[in-house]
Amino acid sequence: MAIFMDRHDLAGTSAEDIADAHRRDLAVEDRYGVRFLTYWYDQRRGTAFCLIDAPDAETAQCVHREAHGFIAGEVVEVALSAVEAFLGRINEPEQKAGETGVERDAGHRAILFTDIVGSTEMTTRLGDRMAAELVRAHDAIVRRCLAQCEGREVKHTGDGIMAAFISTHAAVGCAMSIQREFRTYNSGTPEPIHVRIGLDCGEPIEDSRDLFGSTVQLAARLCAEADSDQILVSENIFREHGAADLFANASRRSLKGFEKPVLAFECEWADADEARSN
């Protein structure tokens, strides 16, 4: 058995319709030796994602075909650990006593990368032990901000952290908090830590065979492209966040892995702090 996630385009379908379709899947799954673990539904975008334990992708499609006819447009094999890291669960959300239903997570996520600027030079200059101490200081600051902003750490990259957020606003707010925390930290230490941050947002299954493939790739590339103490965000983040006055210096950048130049925006976190204090 393997774990698959599928993607359905269901514009105009209600949350009740999707919940009923999921119940129909559960009613016939045993005939095919399949287990439907949970699903996500984004009514605004008209997309649904099912997480399925099945012998193969076609068998999972057979259940959909018999149960309700909503055939997935794409089916991708995934790792449960990755699903849980990005989306926070791999089973149906628990329903409390007295609740008639559970609010359905859309599955849309903002992805954030941090990176310590000049980490290689830092290790050469300070040595492994001291450099490791500074990395731990970075991790503590970033993880504290993630906890405050309901971010979920996906993995440690060696000199940075990748994290996921349900809310785009929370992701941008967390990025700003991280930069503020490092500014405070740097004002009281002889060995400052400067970080760069990149952000993008998207769906679990897009145009890549990997979970959040292109979203992760773009967030990572924007992070690598950012200057010291800078936050770069994608056009998707800019549009979803909505606070146009928070972003500036829009420019198209040629990024590794992307055929066409990508529109990126700088988050003016320092200017926002000044405006708030005045």
Side-chain angles (χ1 to χ4, degrees):
M1 299 285 278
I3 304 298
F4 297 92
M5 179 174 280
D6 66 16
R7 183 186 192 279
H8 301 259
D9 289 304
L10 299 169
T13 308
S14 70
E16 291 75 17
D17 291 335
I18 302 303
D20 181 63
H22 181 65
R23 286 191 291 269
R24 290 170 182 263
D25 285 328
L26 297 179
V28 302
E29 63 181 11
D30 287 346
R31 299 179 201 170
Y32 294 88
V34 168
R35 188 160 63 101
F36 280 75
L37 303 176
T38 188
Y39 73 96
W40 294 262
Y41 178 55
D42 189 337
Q43 187 160 6
R44 183 166 72 90
R45 298 176 180 84
T47 53
F49 308 91
C50 302
L51 188 64
I52 315 152
D53 188 354
D56 51 59
E58 181 52 37
T59 304
Q61 290 279 50
C62 287
V63 176
H64 283 323
R65 192 175 292 114
E66 178 179 337
H68 45 67
F70 294 147
I71 305 303
E74 188 170 9
V75 186
V76 175
E77 187 170 355
V78 296
L80 278 180
S81 58
V83 174
E84 189 164 26
F86 280 111
L87 295 171
R89 63 181 174 87
I90 54 175
N91 298 108
E92 276 295 278
E94 186 176 338
Q95 188 167 328
K96 298 178 182 177
E99 286 184 339
T100 57
V102 176
E103 185 177 352
R104 185 58 53 174
D105 179 358
H108 192 267
R109 293 291 184 271
I111 305 299
L112 175 151
F113 276 85
T114 69
D115 179 63
I116 299 173
V117 176
S119 58
T120 301
E121 181 276 333
M122 181 178 72
T123 302
T124 301
R125 179 169 53 86
L126 300 175
D128 291 341
R129 187 184 64 80
M130 186 60 187
E133 288 295 325
L134 293 181
V135 170
R136 279 193 283 272
H138 159 275
D139 296 349
I141 289 172
V142 172
R143 286 168 178 156
R144 182 166 64 245
C145 292
L146 290 178
Q148 293 169 350
C149 299
E150 299 185 337
R152 177 180 295 275
E153 182 176 341
V154 177
K155 71 175 183 178
H156 196 279
T157 63
D159 51 7
I161 285 176
M162 174 170 65
F165 298 79
I166 292 176
S167 162
T168 298
H169 281 80
V172 173
C174 186
M176 295 172 67
S177 294
I178 290 170
Q179 293 292 18
R180 292 186 194 114
E181 288 286 333
F182 278 110
R183 180 174 59 188
T184 301
Y185 174 88
N186 291 339
S187 67
T189 179
E191 287 296 341
I193 302 172
H194 297 281
V195 301
R196 47 185 162 227
I197 299 174
L199 287 161
D200 188 29
C201 60
E203 300 175 345
I205 301 174
E206 304 157 303
D207 54 357
S208 169
R209 303 302 297 179
D210 296 323
L211 197 66
F212 289 100
S214 61
T215 300
V216 168
Q217 185 183 18
L218 181 52
R221 295 303 183 201
L222 288 172
C223 181
E225 181 77 5
D227 292 330
S228 180
D229 306 322
Q230 189 178 57
I231 302 168
L232 283 184
V233 308
S234 67
E235 185 176 9
N236 291 331
I237 292 284
F238 172 79
R239 292 184 183 281
E240 291 214 7
H241 192 279
D245 58 339
L246 185 59
F247 305 100
N249 301 326
S251 60
R252 294 200 175 272
R253 302 177 183 236
S254 297
L255 303 178
K256 184 178 178 180
F258 292 85
E259 292 184 5
K260 297 179 180 178
V262 173
L263 186 60
F265 298 79
E266 182 180 348
C267 177
E268 298 280 23
W269 64 273
D271 289 349
D273 283 354
E274 275 187 35
R276 189 173 56 178
S277 63
N278 291 336

